[in-house]
């Protein structure tokens, strides 16, 4: 196991985990900050709504009192206390032809009352317009602040993504460089191992070639109990006298085999001669029936005889050639066979 490479990988993994942890902590802090900003915006919006509602309530309390309403006369609790006899003025307010009171719009201060009501209405409209403009201005400020915060948040998010992309590219580049370095180291190590193995193999081959096993040193087979005894697993062959004796025995065997083959050849020749004579006798008997076949058979028999003679001559030549190149191991095998 390559401990240095493993330690380097563990160290790189720890550095990567620390960078990942720092990036996660930074993202968590950024999210906390964004949550705080959102909470502040929500709180401000609630305060704005509360202030608007409070302003509306104050306006209604100050400028829209119940007694200022047109129909307040119908539900005024002090109506009886404030009630006066009808028409105290205008000549004779109490005296009416039919006993009816003044109808709506027939009071003496009608013009002043209408003027006051119009003025009051105008003031109310102006106040509502001012309140509406203020509310719109506050809403616009809130929207602008929200847009600014959202843009700042988007910019921070984009910056964070850009930093993460740069960190990721840096990590990828570092990993790629590390892998390239590690691959180069592995290739160099394999090259050295291959060279060392080749050197070891050459040393082993040289040692085997120069050793007693392949050099066939006959002295290594000599037993410690005497030179007439040999160690069987180290014996490398016989000496020259033993080989000559074996060769002489093999030559005698070859000569004997040649003699036997020559006798067999002579028997075969005699058998062929007798066969030819029998065939000729048969041809004479069948001449009137198979004249053409006799000629063909005679020619074929002559060719076969010549081929047989050539084959036998060739066999004799091959046997003589084989005897001249007969291996020592076969001599020894035949010697053992003859001895048995």
């Amino acid at each position: 196991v390559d401990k240095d490479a493993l330690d380097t990988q563990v160290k790189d993994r720890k550095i990567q985990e620390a960078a990942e942890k720092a990036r996660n902590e930074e993202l968590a802090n950024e999210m906390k900050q964004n949550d705080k900003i959102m909470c502040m915006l929500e709180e401000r919006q609630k305060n704005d709504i509360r202030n608007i509602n409070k302003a509306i309530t104050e306006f209604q309390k100050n400028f829209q009192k119940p007694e200022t309403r047109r129909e307040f006369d119908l539900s005024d609790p002090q109506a009886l206390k404030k009630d006066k006899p009808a028409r105290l003025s205008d000549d004779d307010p109490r005296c009416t032809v039919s006993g009816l009171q003044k109808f709506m719009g027939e009071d003496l201060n009608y013009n002043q009352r209408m003027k006051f009501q119009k003025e009051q209405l105008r003031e109310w409209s102006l106040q509502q317009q001012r309140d509406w403009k203020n509310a719109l201005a506050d809403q616009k400020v809130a929207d602008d602040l929200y847009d600014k915060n959202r843009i700042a948040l988007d910019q921070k998010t984009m910056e964070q993504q850009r930093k993460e992309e740069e960190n990721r590219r840096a990590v990828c580049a570092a990993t790629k460089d590390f892998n390239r370095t590690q691959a180069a180291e592995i290739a160099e190590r394999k090259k050295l191992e291959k060279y060392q193995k080749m050197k070891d193999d050459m040393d082993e081959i040289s040692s085997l070639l120069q050793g007693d096993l392949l050099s066939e040193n006959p002295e290594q087979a000599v037993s410690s109990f005497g030179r007439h005894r040999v160690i069987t697993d180290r014996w490398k062959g016989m000496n020259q006298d033993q080989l000559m004796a074996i060769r002489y025995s093999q030559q005698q065997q070859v000569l004997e085999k040649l003699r036997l083959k020559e006798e067999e050849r002579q028997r075969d020749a005699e058998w062929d001669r007798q066969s030819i004579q029998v065939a000729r006798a048969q041809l004479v008997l069948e001449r009137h029936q198979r004249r053409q076949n006799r000629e063909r058979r005679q020619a074929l028999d002559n060719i076969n005889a010549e081929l047989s003679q050539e084959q036998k001559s060739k066999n004799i030549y091959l046997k003589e050639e084989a005897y001249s190149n007969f291996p020592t191991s076969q001599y020894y095998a035949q010697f053992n066979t003859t001895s048995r």
Side-chain angles (χ1 to χ4, degrees):
V1 178
D2 194 352
K3 187 175 181 300
D4 295 335
L6 293 177
D7 293 338
T8 305
Q9 291 180 356
V10 171
K11 184 177 180 181
D12 293 340
R13 178 60 62 83
K14 289 181 178 180
I15 293 172
Q16 187 176 0
E17 290 178 355
E20 187 71 20
K21 184 177 180 182
R23 184 165 62 254
N24 292 333
E25 289 178 356
E26 186 177 356
L27 287 175
N29 295 329
E30 189 69 22
M31 291 176 68
K32 289 180 181 179
Q33 186 68 22
N34 294 333
D35 292 339
K36 288 181 181 180
I37 293 172
M38 293 299 295
C39 291
M40 291 174 64
L41 291 174
E42 289 178 358
E43 187 67 26
R44 181 170 181 179
Q45 187 177 5
K46 290 179 181 178
N47 292 331
D48 293 340
I49 294 172
R50 192 182 301 111
N51 293 329
I52 291 172
N53 293 330
K54 184 177 179 181
I56 292 172
T57 304
E58 290 292 333
F59 177 79
Q60 291 177 353
K61 183 178 179 181
N62 295 327
F63 300 100
Q64 293 181 351
K65 295 179 180 181
E67 56 269 17
T68 60
R69 297 177 183 176
R70 184 176 62 180
E71 64 272 9
F72 181 72
D73 295 336
L74 300 176
S75 60
D76 187 5
Q78 304 294 330
L80 295 177
K81 294 180 180 181
K82 297 178 181 179
D83 192 14
K84 293 179 181 181
R87 306 301 290 178
L88 293 177
S89 62
D90 292 338
D91 298 336
D92 190 5
R94 297 178 182 272
C95 296
T96 59
V97 177
S98 60
L100 298 176
Q101 303 299 322
K102 284 296 250 188
F103 293 101
M104 183 66 67
E106 295 179 358
D107 55 323
L108 297 176
N109 58 348
Y110 173 77
N111 295 327
Q112 290 79 8
R113 182 172 59 80
M114 290 300 294
K115 184 177 180 181
F116 174 75
Q117 287 180 354
K118 289 180 180 180
E119 186 67 24
Q120 188 180 21
L121 222 93
R122 188 177 66 81
E123 290 293 333
W124 288 351
S125 298
L126 293 175
Q127 184 65 30
Q128 287 180 355
Q129 290 179 4
R130 287 194 295 269
D131 294 339
W132 181 252
K133 288 181 180 180
N134 293 332
L136 289 178
D138 294 339
Q139 185 66 30
K140 184 177 181 182
V141 171
D143 293 339
D144 293 339
L145 181 60
Y146 176 76
D147 293 336
K148 290 180 181 179
N149 292 330
R150 187 178 61 183
I151 292 172
L153 182 61
D154 293 339
Q155 290 179 353
K156 289 182 180 179
T157 304
M158 292 177 63
E159 184 67 21
Q160 185 67 27
Q161 290 178 355
R162 186 181 63 80
K163 290 181 180 179
E164 289 180 358
E165 187 67 24
E166 290 178 356
N167 293 331
R168 191 180 297 108
R169 290 178 181 175
V171 170
C172 292
T175 304
K176 186 176 181 181
D177 294 337
F178 174 76
N179 291 334
R180 188 183 296 109
T181 305
Q182 192 174 13
E185 291 178 357
I186 292 173
E188 186 67 23
R189 190 183 305 111
K190 288 183 178 180
K191 184 178 180 181
L192 293 176
E193 290 177 357
K194 183 178 181 181
Y195 175 76
Q196 185 66 31
K197 185 176 182 301
M198 187 182 296
K199 185 178 179 181
D200 295 339
D201 293 340
M202 293 300 296
D203 294 339
E204 183 179 0
I205 292 171
S206 177
S207 177
L208 291 174
L209 290 175
Q210 295 177 2
D212 294 335
L213 180 63
L214 297 180
S215 62
E216 297 185 355
N217 186 8
E219 296 298 329
Q220 64 176 340
V222 177
S223 176
S224 60
F225 297 99
R227 299 188 64 83
H228 63 284
R229 302 182 66 178
V230 296
I231 300 174
T232 56
D233 59 344
R234 299 181 184 177
W235 187 68
K236 297 299 180 180
M238 296 177 291
N239 54 24
Q240 194 66 26
D241 296 336
Q242 293 174 344
L243 292 175
M244 291 300 295
I246 291 172
R247 289 194 183 95
Y248 178 75
S249 176
Q250 289 177 347
Q251 288 177 359
Q252 295 297 324
Q253 291 177 1
V254 170
L255 292 175
E256 181 66 20
K257 187 177 290 186
L258 290 175
R259 186 182 63 79
L260 293 175
K261 286 187 178 295
E262 183 64 24
E263 292 179 356
E264 184 178 0
R265 186 185 66 78
Q266 291 177 0
R267 286 196 301 271
D268 293 339
E270 182 64 24
W271 178 256
D272 292 338
R273 187 181 61 79
Q274 293 178 3
S275 298
I276 293 171
Q277 290 178 356
V278 171
R280 286 179 180 177
Q282 291 178 354
L283 289 173
V284 170
L285 294 174
E286 298 176 356
R287 182 176 300 173
H288 62 282
Q289 297 178 357
R290 302 174 60 187
R291 182 179 299 275
Q292 294 180 355
N293 291 335
R294 184 191 62 184
E295 293 177 357
R296 293 178 182 175
R297 174 62 63 85
Q298 186 177 2
L300 183 60
D301 290 339
N302 292 331
I303 292 172
N304 289 334
E306 292 177 359
L307 290 176
S308 176
Q309 187 67 26
E310 290 179 0
Q311 185 68 29
K312 290 177 182 179
S313 301
K314 187 177 181 180
N315 290 334
I316 295 172
Y317 174 76
L318 291 176
K319 289 175 183 178
E320 292 177 355
E321 185 69 22
Y323 169 73
S324 62
N325 295 327
F326 208 83
T328 305
S329 59
Q330 294 182 4
Y331 287 162
Y332 181 69
Q334 292 182 3
F335 175 74
N336 291 335
T337 304
T338 307
S339 299
R340 290 177 184 176

